[in-house]
């Protein structure tokens, strides 16, 4: 059973991100937008690479 965050909530906290974006950029954006600890932890657990868009982020979060 996956405890990945809701993709809609995830993208809400990443609004305004300019892609491609690094994992660190995404974590910072989520924190700046008031993401809860579950979303921040999910982003921090993604592979450290550049993400080309919201779909790539959602896939990385759900495949952890």
């Amino acid at each position: 059973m996956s405890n990945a965050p809701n993709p809609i909530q995830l993208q809400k906290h990443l609004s305004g991100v300019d892609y491609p974006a690094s994992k660190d950029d995404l974590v910072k954006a989520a924190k700046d937008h008031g993401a809860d600890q579950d979303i921040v932890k999910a982003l921090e657990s993604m592979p450290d690479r550049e993400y080309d868009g919201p779909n790539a982020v959602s896939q990385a979060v759900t495949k952890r």
Side-chain angles (χ1 to χ4, degrees), residues 13-15 24-35 40:
H13 293 297
L14 296 178
S15 65
D24 290 341
D25 292 337
L26 296 167
V27 170
K28 181 181 182 322
K31 288 178 179 177
D32 290 349
H33 285 96
V40 173

Side-chain angles (χ1 to χ4, degrees), residues 1-28:
M1 184 166 149
S2 175
N3 58 354
N6 178 310
I8 295 168
Q9 288 299 313
L10 176 65
Q11 295 309 320
K12 178 178 142 187
H13 293 297
L14 296 178
S15 65
V17 170
D18 290 326
Y19 292 96
S22 70
K23 178 177 95 169
D24 290 341
D25 292 337
L26 296 167
V27 170
K28 181 181 182 322

Side-chain angles (χ1 to χ4, degrees), residues 36-55:
D36 64 25
Q37 198 59 31
D38 289 339
I39 289 176
V40 173
K41 282 184 180 181
L43 291 169
E44 289 175 339
S45 72
M46 298 187 313
D48 192 9
R49 65 178 183 86
E50 292 280 311
Y51 292 88
D52 61 5
N55 289 341

